[in-house]
Amino acid sequence: MEFKTIKIQLGESVAWVNLDRPEVRNALNPEMIHELTEAVAWLGSRDDIRVIVLKGNGKSFCAGADLAYMKAMAGFSYEENVADAEKLSKLFQTLYFCDKAIVTVVHGACVGGANGIVAASDIVIAGENTKFAFSEVRLGITPATISPFVVQKIGLTAAKELMLTGRRFSAEEAKAFRLVNVVVDEAGLVDMERQYLDHFMQASPEAVAECKRLLRLVDGSDDPMNPLYRQTSVIIANQRVSKAGQEGMEKFFKS
């Protein structure tokens, strides 16, 4: 498969997927969302792949939604916004329900929708200088499509703290909030990644897949047809076309 916004490197039992729009700090746009979804689904179906590692090329993992993409969304119809939001939700669902172990390594910035990728991953390694933010409320909208995965991972109390304020927070805070598993200095990211890969290489891939299904069952998040995914897409579509959403995004673009 060929991709324009991501790069894939296949190793022995491991696939590295790098977000590859460094000139815009790997900001999400429709093409990248589509390609990431397709890549994870493809790699998840391969018997020779046991672990998928997600990373970002350049100075940041992902700075959230692409500015041009956000400007375009402001002009979308309600129906177009629903369809667009469902595609983003589908990315997170594809990650969350993948039977392969997913290790995400973040650095630089992890903003907005990038935290949906983080929340849907199994293991998250963060560079100590990484800055995180759920910045949606500052745009007059909410982090709707990522919310099922974020709340499931960090709980309601932490989600309120981070989503309602929209504030920036550090990698150590992200660890304390259980959004990430481990924080290391930038030089230690590769070594920590290798340590986790070693763990997964010593485990049965069938058992890992079954354990992921088991954990979703016990947690109650095992339904890929959960109507909540559709509902959150509708919510963000309504917000984008609302007066507050339009005014918030217009203010952001002018700032």
Side-chain angles (χ1 to χ4, degrees), residues 4-245:
K4 295 180 180 179
T5 66
I6 61 176
K7 288 186 177 179
I8 297 178
Q9 178 185 351
L10 298 177
E12 185 175 352
S13 301
V14 181
W16 287 267
V17 180
N18 281 54
L19 282 60
D20 192 38
R21 302 183 71 222
E23 69 282 0
V24 291
R25 296 192 300 163
N26 297 318
L28 295 167
N29 67 0
E31 188 171 26
M32 178 179 279
I33 292 167
H34 172 74
E35 289 189 349
L36 275 172
T37 305
E38 289 292 303
V40 173
W42 172 57
L43 294 169
S45 69
R46 292 180 56 136
D47 292 336
D48 60 328
I49 297 299
R50 298 172 64 175
V51 185
I52 300 171
V53 180
L54 301 178
K55 306 173 82 169
N57 289 336
K59 295 181 178 180
S60 289
F61 172 67
C62 178
D66 180 83
L67 185 59
Y69 175 35
M70 291 177 64
K71 287 183 177 180
M73 286 190 297
F76 284 1
S77 68
Y78 168 76
E79 290 77 13
E80 289 172 329
N81 265 300
V82 171
D84 177 78
E86 286 187 317
K87 290 176 183 177
L88 184 58
S89 179
K90 183 65 176 179
L91 168 60
F92 307 140
Q93 293 171 53
T94 302
L95 288 164
Y96 188 69
F97 289 102
C98 180
D99 283 339
K100 313 298 182 181
I102 295 181
V103 177
T104 294
V105 183
V106 301
H107 71 289
C110 187
V111 179
N115 289 295
I117 296 174
V118 165
S121 302
D122 299 311
I123 300 295
V124 182
I125 305 167
E128 63 182 359
N129 295 320
T130 311
K131 299 299 181 184
F132 296 79
F134 294 89
S135 54
E136 288 85 351
V137 292
R138 300 191 176 196
L139 302 176
I141 56 177
T142 63
T145 53
I146 69 174
S147 61
F149 307 94
V150 174
V151 172
Q152 183 274 331
K153 185 162 191 176
I154 70 175
L156 190 59
T157 299
K160 284 184 176 181
E161 161 75 17
L162 301 177
M163 291 182 174
L164 294 179
T165 65
R167 69 175 179 86
R168 290 187 178 186
F169 55 103
S170 68
E172 286 294 344
E173 286 181 286
K175 181 182 176 183
F177 284 121
R178 300 184 180 180
L179 187 63
V180 306
N181 296 82
V182 62
V183 177
V184 297
D185 61 42
E186 303 294 325
L189 286 172
V190 173
D191 182 62
M192 185 58 65
E193 174 192 322
R194 286 173 179 162
Q195 289 185 44
Y196 274 104
L197 291 180
D198 286 343
H199 292 317
F200 286 118
M201 290 304 105
Q202 294 176 43
S204 158
E206 293 80 13
V208 168
E210 287 295 335
C211 191
K212 290 188 67 171
R213 297 186 196 111
L214 170 66
L215 292 172
R216 292 194 298 264
L217 176 65
V218 172
D219 181 69
S221 58
D222 59 330
D223 182 9
M225 301 303 292
N226 190 333
L228 185 60
Y229 301 137
R230 166 72 181 183
Q231 291 167 3
T232 56
S233 297
V234 170
I235 287 170
I236 191 60
N238 281 321
Q239 291 167 348
R240 287 176 184 173
V241 300
S242 71
K243 181 179 178 181

